[in-house]
């Protein structure tokens, strides 16, 4: 999700800042010997900062307050307007947009406006196809202005997943950033290699001078999707595969029935309902069915191989 160590409250200790899949930025302030409990970043009205789509924990449900499902899963603190406090940039997973929320306070006394404005690149919206993984701010070209590097997600099992890494140069001024249109640093590639030779999906890029030669290279975390080698099945194997798939459907329904039954009846609270659900999931009936499901799936994959997803970190050196 793109974490950041930054002294946000100006007390001389590094704080841990990140967005999570719940749709909001979180911060864990640095304290003696470590970090305090993470908390949502709040605006000046005390409201949780988010875009449109977020997880409502008290009610255990997703909420969408806009029609475009903009979902913040990455964020960066940065003094956008040069007034001495940290403003907030939020990346959108679903459309690849980038949003700015200004801070009208000061270090240790946040006053985020609660209003998020869309950031432009080349006069148009940021719009990374398949969504933005995490924006990284760095002076890529050494001109004294902070540029932006971002990766995109891609789809695991499509023929040409658009997972790449892009540079947006800052052509504005200090305290007034303005980004040019994207330059491709790592182009999307087809899933064709028989081994994990490069990331295809979920590219998280960190600019760093890896080889110490004075320019910025890229460390890229992500997944390599390795194509499956199809098998030619015998008649007996085709029959076995069909029977396994039918059996898997039955077992999946039985597992679901165990959980449904655990939630039947009245509960005093959502916590009690969740506890009952957790107990059922850990119980003998569900665990037995779960083991059966895993065994069936394993055999199905032997008969009908699927593409494999391998995680890793890749180094791209700039010459």
């Amino acid at each position: 999700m793109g974490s950041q160590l930054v002294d946000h409250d100006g007390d001389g200790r590094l704080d841990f800042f990140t967005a999570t899949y719940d749709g909001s930025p979180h911060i864990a302030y640095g304290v003696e010997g470590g970090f305090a409990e993470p908390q949502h970043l709040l605006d000046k009205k005390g409201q949780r900062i988010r875009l449109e789509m977020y997880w409502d924990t008290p009610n255990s449900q997703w909420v969408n307050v806009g029609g475009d499902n903009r979902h913040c899963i990455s964020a960066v603190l940065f003094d956008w307007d040069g007034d001495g406090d940290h403003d907030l940039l939020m990346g959108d997973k679903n459309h690849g947009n980038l949003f700015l929320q200004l801070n009208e306070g000061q270090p240790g006394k946040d006053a985020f406006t609660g209003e998020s404005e869309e950031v432009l690149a080349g006069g148009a919206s940021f719009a990374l196809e398949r969504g933005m993984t995490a924006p990284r701010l760095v002076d890529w070209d050494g001109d004294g202005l902070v540029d932006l590097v971002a990766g995109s997600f891609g789809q695991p099992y499509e023929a040409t997943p658009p997972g790449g890494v892009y540079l947006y140069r800052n052509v504005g001024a200090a305290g007034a950033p303005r980004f040019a249109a994207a330059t491709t640093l790592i182009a999307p590639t087809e899933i064709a290699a028989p081994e994990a030779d490069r990331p295809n999906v979920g590219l998280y890029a960190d600019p760093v001078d890896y080889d110490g030669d004075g320019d910025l290279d890229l460390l890229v975390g992500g997944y390599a999707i390795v194509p499956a080698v199809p098998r030619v099945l015998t008649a007996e194997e085709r029959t076995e595969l069909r029977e396994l798939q039918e059996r898997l459907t039955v077992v999946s329904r039985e597992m679901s029935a165990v959980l449904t039954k655990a939630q039947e009846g009245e509960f005093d609270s959502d916590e009690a309902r969740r506890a009952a659900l957790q107990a059922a999931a850990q119980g003998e009936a569900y665990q037995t069915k779960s083991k059966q499901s895993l065994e069936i799936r394993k055999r199905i994959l032997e008969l009908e191989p699927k593409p494999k997803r391998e995680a890793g970190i890749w180094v791209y050196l700039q010459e």
Side-chain angles (χ1 to χ4, degrees):
M1 301 299 164
S3 57
Q4 180 185 13
L5 287 171
V6 58
D7 183 6
H8 178 57
D9 55 6
D11 65 353
R13 294 190 180 98
L14 288 176
D15 309 308
F16 183 84
F17 178 75
T18 187
T20 73
Y21 204 77
D22 78 348
S24 292
H26 296 67
I27 190 163
Y29 287 103
V31 295
E32 188 69 29
F35 295 96
E37 285 290 320
Q39 57 186 273
H40 283 124
L41 203 65
L42 305 179
D43 64 23
K44 63 183 180 182
K45 295 181 180 178
Q47 299 298 310
R48 167 184 171 182
I49 295 176
R50 76 300 188 272
L51 294 177
E52 295 177 341
M53 184 176 174
Y54 67 96
W55 179 251
D56 180 1
T57 302
N59 295 306
S60 299
Q61 63 182 2
W62 284 103
V63 175
N64 181 23
V65 294
D68 295 319
N69 295 308
R70 290 187 173 95
H71 185 186
C72 169
I73 67 163
S74 61
V76 176
L77 290 170
F78 168 63
D79 187 0
W80 177 273
D81 51 10
D83 65 352
D85 58 32
H86 289 138
D87 306 298
L88 176 64
L89 287 174
M90 292 181 283
D92 164 43
K93 173 184 178 293
N94 291 332
H95 305 285
N97 305 136
L98 186 68
F99 292 86
L100 167 69
Q101 189 161 146
L102 292 174
N103 187 353
E104 298 174 338
Q106 55 186 314
K109 295 183 179 179
D110 287 340
F112 289 100
T113 62
E115 299 293 331
S116 298
E117 58 182 278
E118 193 169 1
V119 180
L120 304 181
S125 299
F126 273 78
L128 271 73
E129 188 177 5
R130 299 300 183 187
M132 183 179 294
T133 53
R136 294 300 196 194
L137 296 171
V138 64
D139 185 0
W140 180 268
D141 51 15
D143 65 354
L145 299 176
V146 175
D147 308 302
L148 188 144
V149 173
S152 60
F153 281 100
Q155 286 293 331
Y157 304 116
E158 290 186 0
T160 53
V165 178
Y166 306 91
L167 166 67
Y168 298 84
R169 283 190 165 85
N170 186 349
V171 294
R178 183 167 57 87
F179 294 108
T183 299
T184 301
L185 296 179
I186 300 176
T189 185
E190 294 184 2
I191 299 175
E195 56 186 26
D197 64 343
R198 63 145 287 161
N200 306 112
V201 175
L203 277 66
Y204 282 79
D206 272 299
V208 60
D209 186 1
Y210 185 81
D211 53 6
D213 66 352
D215 58 28
L216 290 173
D217 311 299
L218 289 174
L219 288 177
V220 182
Y223 299 99
I225 307 301
V226 182
V229 178
R231 287 188 53 182
V232 178
L233 302 181
T234 65
E236 292 79 7
E237 288 175 328
R238 289 196 297 272
T239 299
E240 181 187 4
L241 177 60
R242 183 175 63 255
E243 292 174 348
L244 286 168
Q245 291 169 335
E246 292 172 353
R247 178 59 183 155
L248 180 60
T249 298
V250 172
V251 172
S252 298
R253 288 173 179 168
E254 290 172 345
M255 293 171 65
S256 178
V258 171
L259 300 181
T260 299
K261 185 176 180 180
Q263 297 182 88
E264 291 177 349
E266 296 183 0
F267 293 88
D268 295 335
S269 64
D270 289 338
E271 289 76 11
R273 186 182 298 274
R274 285 194 290 268
L277 183 63
Q278 183 177 10
Q282 295 173 347
E284 182 179 355
Y286 188 88
Q287 289 298 314
T288 298
K289 297 296 180 183
S290 179
K291 290 177 182 178
Q292 292 175 5
S293 174
L294 289 174
E295 291 171 359
I296 295 170
R297 291 176 189 275
K298 181 179 179 181
R299 179 55 181 159
I300 288 176
L301 286 175
E302 291 174 353
L303 295 171
E304 192 177 51
K306 301 293 185 182
K308 295 181 180 179
R309 188 174 76 164
E310 298 186 12
I313 298 175
W314 289 260
V315 180
Y316 289 82
L317 298 178
Q318 185 175 184
E319 298 178 352

